[in-house]
Amino acid sequence: MKADEPKIQGRDDLTKIPQSDEKTEGVPMATDIAQLTDSLAKTRVEEVELSYKGLGKKLDDAQSVEEMVKEIQDFEDLQALRLEGNTYGVEAAKAIAKALETKSNFKRCYWSDMFTGRLRSEIPPALNSLGDALMLAGAKLTVLDLSDNAFGPDGVKGIERLLKSTACYTLQELRLNNCGMGIGGGKILAASLIQCHKNSSAEGTPLGLKVFIAGRNRLENDGATALAQAFQLMGSLEEVHMPQNGINHPGVTALAKAMQHNAGLRILNLNDNTFTEKGAIAMAQALKHLRSIQVINFGDCLVRPAGAIAIADTVSEGLPILKELNLSFGEITVEAALTVAKAVKDRNQLEKLDLNGNSLGEDGCKALKDAMEDMNIGELLGSLSDDEGEPEEDDDDDDDDDDDDDDDDDEEEEDEDVDEEEIEEEEEEEEEESNGNKLSTPAAASRPPDVSSFLSFPSPDKLLKLGAMRAMLIEQQVDVSDATKTAEAFLKIASVYKEDNDDVKNAVLDSIDALLRKAFSTPAFQGCNFVSTLLVLLGLIKSEDKVKPVIVVRGHLNALEHVASQDYFPKEYVDVLAVFLSRNPKALESCGNARNSLQSTLQRVRSEG
């Protein structure tokens, strides 16, 4: 095959199968037959692809792509086309598009790096012609790769019609790395995906995008926030790669909220964006909903000690199949790094922990290595060669840099679910030295700081640390006139229930009793909404608002069993719980005996009533 000839994969692979008169040295004939059978089987199902990848050609007009067009036309079952590594003018693209108009089985567009040296104005018409051809052909795309084209917002307009069309209802991978989309392009892309999901859902085949790649696109907060709305709506993502986009904590927080709705997420790469504590804590909260996560890359994201500790709390409480955790270059101190190390101790599938480039110091690096060796996980720790050394005593003043990010906060107050007091627990000493920076405000000082921290990141230890007044403090913190917030608070408190620890068990039940007794005695409280919200969050009924259920643990059911027996809980709601539990015999099976015990108690209370 000549260097500039296309590579055809699929139909010509039969030529690679050994013929009957050929001998494979050192391999028995039976193995040859097995290999032949396997090769034939693979050949029959392999997607058919035509590749012009990396030929380095400058294709300006229809004449320059005549041979390519003929080959595309003659390829009856064309399903994938690689155009990357060449540069195509508008007329050349139109000629190729014409050849694609009859390819109804077409699925994969590998069209990265195909406009090098072209004017920005040439790209939208070229993309429009290619997209229109796929729509005309009735193609059902699964992969659209336009990475490394640097086409800016105008380039996104060039694929806008395609993304909204039926051709993309089946899209599984969208790769737009290094395209320079900017905020404007990010918003156009988000709107197109939302419209595609709306259109496809109306036809009973909702868009189920699995892979989204958009690194180095200058999306910033507004672009990321727009895309977060699309991500939350789809709820199907398995991989998200958005490194180097200039996203600060408002955008990170928006993405965190969206990720919670993508329970199948396996890889989350937000490297080289600026989380700070707020973004890191919000992302830690989101990770609690992502039990399928395998790779977390928050390197060079400035998560800082409080953020690292929040992420460590999440890791220690869940993430059972985590393989890689990257918290490098985040200004993490040795205390926080040791907390992270302890958190990953029982993550049996972990392959790498990256804490390089932080602020450990020579002694801190040794302490971290020794600690991981003592836990028999020393081999998991990556290099610490780029450690920044111990922070100076006045480094806390650097937190004022966050104020640059906070200029956007006036317009996004409603997005600040993570209040300053949530990180006060981890950075109490630092706040005392920071001379009134944003982490320490009069409003935060006037309220018990640990209550919000517990409700944001529940743990048995935090609940106990609230002390003897915990029930009253929680009761005061939660707006019981809001049934939804009350239900969410109930589940958060119940999640730390431990049957084998009387102190924790009693603290949970006392807190729940105080909260719900006050709620059901409040005239404005809507008990029916409270129970229906519980049923939705426990996965027993579906929500019209597409609210995602929580990950149910035994503590939720143990606490609910206790509540059902209390005099403040109306018996009619016991009936409702019993009915919906009986209608879903397979629901909550993972909670085993706790589910059975709850059912028994509900039946007993009903019979007594």
Side-chain angles (χ1 to χ4, degrees), residues 421-586:
E421 64 265 30
E422 293 175 14
I423 57 175
E424 195 166 347
E425 182 178 0
E426 273 83 22
E427 293 203 331
E428 186 174 358
E429 293 181 4
E430 293 162 349
E431 290 183 29
E432 291 173 358
E433 298 171 2
S434 61
N435 297 321
N437 65 31
K438 74 179 185 67
L439 299 182
S440 181
T441 65
S446 66
R447 296 196 300 266
D450 293 338
V451 180
S452 289
S453 179
F454 167 72
L455 290 175
S456 297
F457 303 99
S459 72
D461 186 56
K462 287 181 180 179
L463 181 62
L464 294 178
K465 284 183 177 178
L466 291 177
M469 303 296 288
R470 67 179 69 87
M472 184 188 72
L473 294 175
I474 291 173
E475 174 190 328
Q476 292 175 346
Q477 184 75 13
V478 179
D479 179 8
V480 296
S481 65
D482 188 320
T484 298
K485 290 181 179 178
T486 305
E488 291 172 345
F490 164 78
L491 291 177
K492 288 178 179 180
I493 299 168
S495 68
V496 305
Y497 180 99
K498 288 185 177 295
E499 185 65 42
D500 57 354
N501 187 321
D502 288 342
D503 289 341
V504 174
K505 175 181 176 180
N506 292 334
V508 167
L509 298 182
D510 289 348
S511 300
I512 285 174
D513 283 342
L515 176 66
L516 296 188
R517 193 179 298 278
K518 179 180 179 181
F520 282 104
S521 64
T522 300
F525 184 69
Q526 297 180 329
C528 186
N529 287 349
F530 169 80
V531 173
S532 62
T533 301
L534 273 185
L535 292 171
V536 169
L537 294 174
L538 292 173
L540 294 173
I541 60 175
K542 292 183 179 180
S543 168
E544 295 180 359
D545 298 324
K546 298 184 179 180
V547 175
K548 296 287 186 178
V550 300
I551 297 173
V552 182
V553 296
R554 289 183 176 86
H556 291 141
L557 305 190
N558 293 141
L560 195 54
E561 180 183 356
H562 167 81
V563 167
S565 302
Q566 304 307 304
D567 57 6
Y568 58 75
F569 193 71
K571 294 299 182 284
E572 60 265 31
Y573 297 147
V574 173
D575 293 338
V576 173
L577 291 174
V579 167
F580 278 96
L581 200 59
S582 65
R583 287 181 181 177
N584 297 273
K586 293 185 178 181

Side-chain angles (χ1 to χ4, degrees), residues 304-321:
R304 293 188 173 148
I309 290 171
I311 292 168
D313 284 346
T314 295
V315 172
S316 64
E317 294 172 8
L319 313 190
I321 58 174

Side-chain angles (χ1 to χ4, degrees), residues 75 127 137 149-150 157 178 215 242 332 380 437 439 460 558 578 590:
F75 213 118
L127 290 174
N149 278 311
K157 292 179 182 177
N178 192 31
M242 297 175 66
I332 299 172
L380 303 180
N437 65 31
L439 299 182
N558 293 141
S590 61

Side-chain angles (χ1 to χ4, degrees), residues 341-475:
K342 292 176 183 176
V344 303
K345 179 180 66 172
D346 296 323
R347 300 282 73 81
N348 297 329
Q349 296 191 36
L350 192 73
E351 298 173 0
K352 183 178 180 181
L353 173 63
D354 191 346
L355 291 171
N356 196 20
N358 282 300
S359 303
L360 310 183
E362 185 176 345
D363 291 341
C365 287
K366 183 178 184 305
L368 178 60
K369 291 177 181 178
D370 290 346
M372 293 193 67
E373 289 290 347
D374 290 343
M375 292 184 287
N376 295 318
I377 53 173
E379 73 280 1
L380 303 180
L381 183 63
S383 169
L384 298 176
S385 60
D386 295 317
D387 187 73
E388 297 287 343
E390 292 184 56
E392 298 293 333
E393 290 185 3
D394 59 352
D395 273 1
D396 293 331
D397 293 337
D398 292 342
D399 286 349
D400 292 333
D401 294 341
D402 289 349
D403 293 334
D404 295 336
D405 303 336
D406 291 344
D407 290 341
D408 300 324
D409 288 355
D410 291 339
E411 300 177 1
E412 301 190 41
E413 287 287 336
E414 66 275 12
D415 290 334
E416 300 295 338
D417 289 346
V418 186
D419 294 327
E420 283 78 7
E421 64 265 30
E422 293 175 14
I423 57 175
E424 195 166 347
E425 182 178 0
E426 273 83 22
E427 293 203 331
E428 186 174 358
E429 293 181 4
E430 293 162 349
E431 290 183 29
E432 291 173 358
E433 298 171 2
S434 61
N435 297 321
N437 65 31
K438 74 179 185 67
L439 299 182
S440 181
T441 65
S446 66
R447 296 196 300 266
D450 293 338
V451 180
S452 289
S453 179
F454 167 72
L455 290 175
S456 297
F457 303 99
S459 72
D461 186 56
K462 287 181 180 179
L463 181 62
L464 294 178
K465 284 183 177 178
L466 291 177
M469 303 296 288
R470 67 179 69 87
M472 184 188 72
L473 294 175
I474 291 173
E475 174 190 328

Side-chain angles (χ1 to χ4, degrees), residues 20 39 107 121 165 192 213 280 336 349 361 378 380 552 558 562:
S20 59
S39 296
K107 297 180 180 179
S121 60
S165 74
S192 300
I213 300 176
Q349 296 191 36
L380 303 180
V552 182
N558 293 141
H562 167 81

